[in-house]
Amino acid sequence: MAPTLHTFRIVESSPGTDEYTSLSAWDASEDTNLTSTYLGNSDGQYVEVTCEDFEDGTTCAINGFTTTSTNTILIKAASAHGIAGDYSSAASYRMTSTGNPVLKIQDKWVTLRGLVIKRTGNASSSGAISPAGSATDLVVEDCVFINENESSGSSGGIRNRGSSTCSSTWRNCISIGGVNAGNVTAGSSSTWDFDNCTFVGKDGYGFKGGTGETNFENCIVLGTSGSFSGSIDS
């Protein structure tokens, strides 16, 4: 039997049943094995987390779930509450924090859709979002990542955390940031696939590659020091 869908809704205040005040509160409460009995369902689960339009001021690490290709996690903005072409709009779910990173993905089979994630303040080697650990089969769609770091060091809207096994697909995303080193740092042996994405390095390269495999299709890369730096496979 296929896993049964279970939906969590994240609200700013007065959460009801299966609702939380932040993404981190949901993760802390529910991270478990999705392939076995979960919330009373003996067939396991695949989980959909719906984020309402408010500013979530916490950091979060998606870590501790046991997932498979069918027991997956989808974290998405509520219907019509995605970025809608305006990453500063209040009509969206926004994670904003000085934490480094604001969102870390360490589990497999996670999909993000329509989120706005911004890292404020200065910190070298920082990122708004960072795949880490063995976060294979990560899919990110229609998201915006912003890093306001203005200090020296390798930083970006998206930044690899040294994983040697991460594989990810990014579609229709915008990543803004990068001081002296580049907007995205793809390191180790990770595989990165970018489709219809825009990278803007405000004080550095648009994209800084690492030792992994990086593939681009229909992307725009802009940087004050140049478009690309480092190892870029294709």
Side-chain angles (χ1 to χ4, degrees):
M1 182 181 295
T4 301
L5 174 66
H6 196 90
T7 300
F8 299 93
R9 295 193 179 276
I10 301 172
V11 296
E12 187 172 9
S13 60
S14 301
T17 303
D18 297 330
E19 294 180 342
Y20 298 88
T21 56
S22 68
L23 193 62
S24 59
W26 161 75
D27 177 79
S29 176
E30 301 294 345
D31 58 343
T32 188
N33 188 344
L34 301 185
T35 68
S36 60
T37 300
Y38 179 61
L39 296 179
N41 181 359
S42 60
D43 298 313
Q45 297 278 339
Y46 66 98
V47 177
E48 180 177 315
V49 182
T50 301
C51 303
E52 301 292 349
D53 53 331
F54 74 100
E55 186 168 52
D56 182 346
T58 67
T59 61
C60 181
I62 305 300
N63 181 30
F65 288 92
T66 301
T67 56
T68 68
S69 60
T70 56
N71 300 98
T72 59
I73 299 171
L74 168 62
I75 302 172
K76 63 172 188 150
S79 178
H81 292 172
I83 59 176
D86 182 3
Y87 62 81
S88 63
S89 173
S92 63
Y93 172 75
R94 307 170 310 285
M95 292 185 73
T96 304
S97 175
T98 58
N100 180 28
V102 179
L103 179 61
K104 181 189 294 186
I105 306 296
Q106 295 175 272
D107 288 331
K108 302 177 181 180
W109 303 105
V110 176
T111 296
L112 308 177
R113 186 175 299 153
L115 309 181
V116 177
I117 302 175
K118 180 168 70 173
R119 193 197 169 281
T120 59
N122 292 331
S124 62
S125 302
S126 62
I129 182 172
S130 294
S134 57
T136 58
D137 299 287
L138 170 66
V139 177
V140 185
E141 301 173 324
D142 305 317
C143 292
V144 172
F145 307 104
I146 305 165
N147 190 343
E148 294 185 342
N149 172 49
E150 295 184 356
S151 66
S152 62
S154 175
S155 65
I158 306 167
R159 187 176 188 276
N160 179 269
R161 300 293 290 181
S163 167
S164 60
T165 58
C166 179
S167 63
S168 57
T169 300
W170 309 71
R171 303 186 186 100
N172 305 318
C173 292
I174 300 171
S175 183
I176 301 171
V179 176
N180 295 334
N183 184 254
V184 176
T185 302
S188 302
S189 300
S190 300
T191 301
W192 301 68
D193 294 316
F194 296 102
D195 185 11
N196 293 321
C197 293
T198 299
F199 308 100
V200 181
K202 63 182 181 180
D203 186 19
Y205 291 98
F207 190 100
K208 181 178 180 181
T211 58
E213 178 181 346
T214 309
N215 303 299
F216 298 89
E217 184 173 356
N218 300 323
C219 293
I220 298 173
V221 183
L222 304 170
T224 57
S225 298
S227 296
F228 293 97
S229 174
S231 175
I232 305 295
D233 284 346
S234 60

